[in-house]
Each structure stands twice: as structure tokens, then as C-alpha cells.
Amino acid sequence: MAQGRGSAMAATVLLCVLLLNFELAQAAIYTVGGTGGWTFNTVGWTKGKRFKAGDILVFNYNPSIHNVVAVNRAGYSSCSTPRGAKVYQSGKDRIKLAKGQNFFICNFPGHCQAGMKIAATAA
């Protein structure tokens, strides 16, 4: 009886691993701004792209002069950082898109106003 339970547990673990790999295999990875990376005038970078929930956005930038802040629509529109917003500052951030609208800005002074912001809608 114990052997049967162990086999069922192993099968369950294997199924979970396979499902996780399938989900990751389905996610697309996008480098924000292309070869130029996360910089000024990236506001139009999302045009023509079809994102899905779980896709990964990679933000490459110099962390001494830029950052990435996940904001809400109001923060995106006004180029302001809402209280409690997640701030990324590694220079090589990988952010998984949630279903619906996702907004990101650089909150260094003047950067968002210079087009360093994107809005990505994930199906």
C-alpha cells in the first residue's frame, strides 16, 4: 500500500513539473525598447505587439540613471509614482505581465515626460 501511495505522489509531482514547464514554454519574452533597451521615447514600443498574461518584459538599462516603476493608469497618465508602487532598479529587470493593462514608467525627474513609459495590455 505504501508503494502505491509513493507512485501516486511521484506521478503528481511529475504532472506539476510538466504543467509548469508548459506554462513557461508558452510565455513570450520581449526586450523593452529592442536593442536600444529601456530609454527615452519608448512610449510607442508596444504598438503592434500582442501580449498575453504570463509574457515576460525585460527592461535593460543603466540603473544609475534609470529605473522601472509598475504604476496604475493614473500614475502612467500623470507620470507620478503612487504610494506603494513596485520600483525595480537592477538594470536587468524581468517582469511578468498580468492579464489586463500593465503600466510602467521611469520615475527619474523628467524621464517619463520624455516618453520613458509603456502601457502593455495582456490578453
Side-chain angles (χ1 to χ4, degrees):
M1 183 90 102
Q3 185 178 9
R5 237 184 283 161
S7 295
M9 179 65 99
T12 302
V13 169
L14 180 61
L15 181 61
C16 288
V17 168
L18 289 173
L19 288 173
L20 180 61
N21 282 336
F22 178 75
E23 182 181 316
L24 291 175
Q26 297 301 311
I29 298 174
Y30 296 91
T31 300
V32 176
T35 57
W38 176 236
T39 189
F40 300 105
N41 297 313
T42 54
V43 66
W45 174 81
T46 59
K47 277 195 167 79
K49 293 178 178 60
R50 298 180 68 136
F51 301 106
K52 293 184 291 191
D55 285 351
I56 306 292
L57 296 184
V58 178
F59 291 82
N60 293 320
Y61 58 94
N62 179 340
S64 64
I65 58 172
H66 299 303
N67 65 12
V68 179
V69 184
V71 297
N72 55 24
R73 178 189 298 276
Y76 178 82
S77 297
S78 65
C79 286
S80 61
T81 303
R83 184 183 317 272
K86 173 73 175 159
V87 179
Y88 300 87
Q89 43 200 0
S90 75
K92 296 195 177 298
D93 305 311
R94 298 172 59 88
I95 302 172
K96 184 189 281 192
L97 291 176
K99 184 176 178 115
Q101 296 182 313
N102 298 261
F103 301 98
F104 305 96
I105 67 171
C106 176
N107 74 354
F108 279 54
H111 291 201
C112 178
Q113 292 84 346
M116 202 165 175
K117 64 182 188 174
I118 63 166
T121 302

